[in-house]
Amino acid sequence: MKVILFSNSGEPIYAWCKKDIAKFCRDNKELTFVSAATVYSPEEYYEKAKKSLEEVGLKLTYLILDKNPIAQVTNAKALIVGGGNTYQLIKKLSENNLLSLIKKKVLNGVPYIGLSAGANITGPNILTTNDWNVSGSTHFDGLNIVPFNINPHYNAPKDKVLSSAETRDDRIKEYLVFNKNPVVALEEQTLLRIENNQIEVGGFGKAKLFLKNQEPKEFKSGEILSLI
């Protein structure tokens, strides 16, 4: 299995991580792009991603959900799933019967690139997303291709003397009251590269691992993240 997951935002699109994507796709330069997470214009998002990734030698084709998407995913040589609203993404993929097919493809070795919402759906469920369920989705299960949940765009807690607001750590710890699987929080511009049964942290920030009934652990870029 070859998976790379990003906590990504900002303009120009993919500016900081497109070389990492190209390196990850060194054996396959043709990618099927899924823009279903956006609640605005999926076509415009695709065009911006296509232009950016062409600069590092990658060729994108657009997954059109109302034009035989099962055949498109079946024929995909690599998948790149962009960011946006995680609930919108999981809803669209579920409605088009693509979740089990994508999972099968990835477990059979097809490379998977997930950015923010596209990273969120790789875990057992999507309950640690930061997004609001604006689409009213009733689909909460993820692809379950990695044994942990993702929380992207992570910010470390601020001094509670200055604010009584609930922190991201508080919310993740609440999740672990009801769930056993780990949660990996990714700071902005941070990635996880999962190959050969190893999870390597990359990018410019840190990954923070939350395990049930344990203190969180931080991992820096270049380190191997252990789920134990």
Side-chain angles (χ1 to χ4, degrees):
M1 188 174 73
K2 291 183 60 179
V3 174
I4 191 166
L5 307 175
F6 296 87
S7 176
N8 172 73
S9 65
E11 295 288 345
I13 191 170
Y14 305 157
W16 74 273
C17 63
K18 57 188 173 184
K19 290 183 180 179
D20 290 297
I21 296 174
K23 183 178 179 181
F24 179 75
C25 298
R26 59 192 177 275
D27 299 324
N28 193 333
K29 303 298 184 181
E30 296 183 18
L31 289 71
T32 297
F33 187 79
V34 182
S35 60
T38 181
V39 300
Y40 300 108
S41 174
E43 294 85 358
E44 181 180 345
Y45 184 18
Y46 161 69
E47 290 296 338
K48 290 170 69 175
K50 179 182 178 183
K51 182 178 179 181
S52 177
L53 294 179
E54 279 178 345
E55 297 174 1
V56 289
L58 299 177
K59 178 182 178 182
L60 267 61
T61 59
Y62 179 39
L63 178 69
I64 304 173
L65 290 178
D66 58 2
K67 190 176 180 181
N68 198 2
I70 291 178
Q72 295 177 70
V73 172
T74 299
N75 295 325
K77 298 177 181 178
L79 291 162
I80 177 168
V81 183
N85 186 286
T86 308
Y87 293 103
Q88 171 78 348
L89 175 59
I90 207 76
K91 180 180 180 182
K92 289 293 185 181
L93 295 180
S94 298
E95 289 174 347
N96 287 277
N97 300 310
L98 293 176
L99 287 173
S100 60
L101 178 58
I102 291 173
K103 179 176 181 176
K104 181 179 179 181
K105 294 278 290 186
V106 176
L107 293 181
N108 285 334
V110 170
Y112 180 98
I113 302 105
L115 298 114
S116 299
N120 280 336
I121 68 169
T122 60
N125 61 66
I126 63 167
L127 297 178
T128 55
T129 177
N130 306 311
D131 300 323
W132 290 15
N133 190 2
V134 294
S135 63
S137 175
T138 57
H139 304 280
F140 306 108
D141 290 339
L143 293 169
N144 201 22
I145 56 176
V146 298
F148 51 86
N149 274 30
I150 293 286
N151 179 256
H153 317 301
Y154 174 77
N155 286 312
K158 304 300 181 184
D159 190 342
K160 278 203 167 187
V161 172
L162 303 178
S163 172
S164 61
E166 186 180 67
T167 68
R168 193 79 63 84
D169 286 39
D170 292 331
R171 293 179 180 178
I172 294 172
K173 289 174 183 177
E174 284 182 355
Y175 172 84
L176 290 171
V177 171
F178 299 97
N179 299 273
K180 295 180 179 179
N181 62 283
V183 179
V184 179
L186 298 178
E187 293 181 348
E188 203 62 286
Q189 297 192 0
T190 305
L191 65 90
L192 298 179
R193 186 182 299 104
I194 304 159
E195 292 187 70
N196 302 319
N197 296 317
Q198 280 194 335
I199 307 168
E200 182 183 0
V201 179
F204 302 102
K206 297 188 292 292
K208 192 170 184 178
L209 172 66
F210 292 81
L211 297 167
K212 194 177 183 75
N213 300 323
Q214 295 187 34
E215 286 300 309
K217 305 173 186 177
E218 289 189 344
F219 297 85
K220 296 181 293 186
S221 182
E223 293 184 335
I224 301 301
L225 189 151
S226 172
L227 296 175
I228 300 174

